[in-house]
Amino acid sequence: MTNDTLFNAAWSLLAIMAIAYIVFWRYRAYKLDAFRQDIFDLRDALFDEAQEGLISFNHPAYGMLREFMNGFIRFGHQLSLWQILIFLFLARKEDFATKSSFEEKWKKVTSDLMPSVKEQLDSYRLKAHFAIFKHLIATAPGLILTIVVPLLLLLFMKIIVERLKNFTNPPIDSAALTLGQA
């Protein structure tokens, strides 16, 4: 081996190690911080709305929504798509049977609210769920590449085939004929 080859191999190895470090350690930490910041921002907006009089700080719905957000801030590092999939695969139906689900408790604590206030609180829950979904997808690039991308490609191919079936004279057939005659 020449010195140039050794030099290129060493730099290539260092570059691969740097990319692995960024992808497997720093990216996940960054996405976790971004997720927590999204939830912090939602919680702060909820606080501001309560301070402006949307809902009392002592109302059970405010407390429940705040605890919901605090739970995701506190345990966001344990939240990953892989862990959720494994949990759902290993959990039994009886494991989900509790005395009262979140949804039942939520309906109970929001039952005395005006519809506009309940709608605003539900929008905070929806925004939190969107932030959670975004975090799950962003922290599972391997899953995305091995499962989601191929499924999207299959769906895309199916859509194309369905659209081609609807054409009486598909444009691609005309293009192929024109190119074939040339």
Side-chain angles (χ1 to χ4, degrees):
M1 269 196 214
T2 66
N3 285 340
D4 286 342
T5 306
L6 286 173
F7 181 76
N8 287 338
W11 275 109
S12 296
L13 180 62
L14 284 173
I16 290 170
M17 289 171 51
I19 290 170
Y21 171 73
I22 290 169
V23 169
F24 293 111
W25 285 280
R26 301 313 314 150
Y27 174 76
R28 178 143 171 83
Y30 164 73
K31 291 311 289 181
L32 175 61
D33 288 345
F35 167 68
R36 285 182 171 150
Q37 188 60 50
D38 288 346
I39 301 296
F40 270 125
D41 291 344
L42 278 175
R43 192 182 68 178
D44 289 346
L46 174 65
F47 177 86
D48 291 343
E49 293 235 20
Q51 193 172 27
E52 291 172 4
L54 176 73
I55 190 170
S56 167
F57 288 110
N58 296 326
H59 194 281
Y62 173 82
M64 188 173 175
L65 193 53
R66 187 170 174 84
E67 287 173 9
F68 164 78
M69 292 178 186
N70 285 341
F72 282 112
I73 291 169
R74 188 174 301 125
F75 296 107
H77 64 283
Q78 295 178 342
L79 184 63
S80 76
L81 194 55
W82 288 111
Q83 288 173 331
I84 288 175
L85 291 175
I86 290 169
F87 172 75
L88 291 174
F89 180 73
L90 296 177
R92 298 180 312 253
K93 188 176 181 179
E94 302 84 46
D95 295 336
F96 294 108
T98 60
K99 292 179 183 176
S100 180
S101 70
F102 180 90
E103 203 58 44
E104 290 171 1
K105 289 178 185 176
W106 183 249
K107 285 180 183 176
K108 182 178 177 183
V109 298
T110 58
S111 63
D112 64 334
L113 295 174
M114 294 179 0
S116 61
V117 174
K118 183 179 180 327
E119 184 178 311
Q120 186 65 23
L121 294 180
D122 284 337
S123 78
Y124 280 107
R125 275 186 66 204
L126 183 63
K127 290 174 186 174
H129 286 149
F130 181 72
I132 294 161
F133 177 75
K134 200 169 73 171
H135 174 69
L136 291 175
I137 297 301
T139 56
L143 181 68
I144 302 305
L145 291 175
T146 58
I147 295 175
V148 175
V149 170
L151 287 175
L152 287 175
L153 287 173
L154 287 173
L155 179 64
F156 181 67
M157 289 171 48
K158 181 180 178 191
I159 290 170
I160 288 174
V161 168
E162 290 299 318
R163 288 203 176 174
L164 287 176
K165 285 181 184 177
N166 293 335
F167 284 121
T168 55
N169 184 16
I172 197 162
D173 292 350
S174 299
L177 180 64
T178 303
L179 291 172
Q181 292 174 352

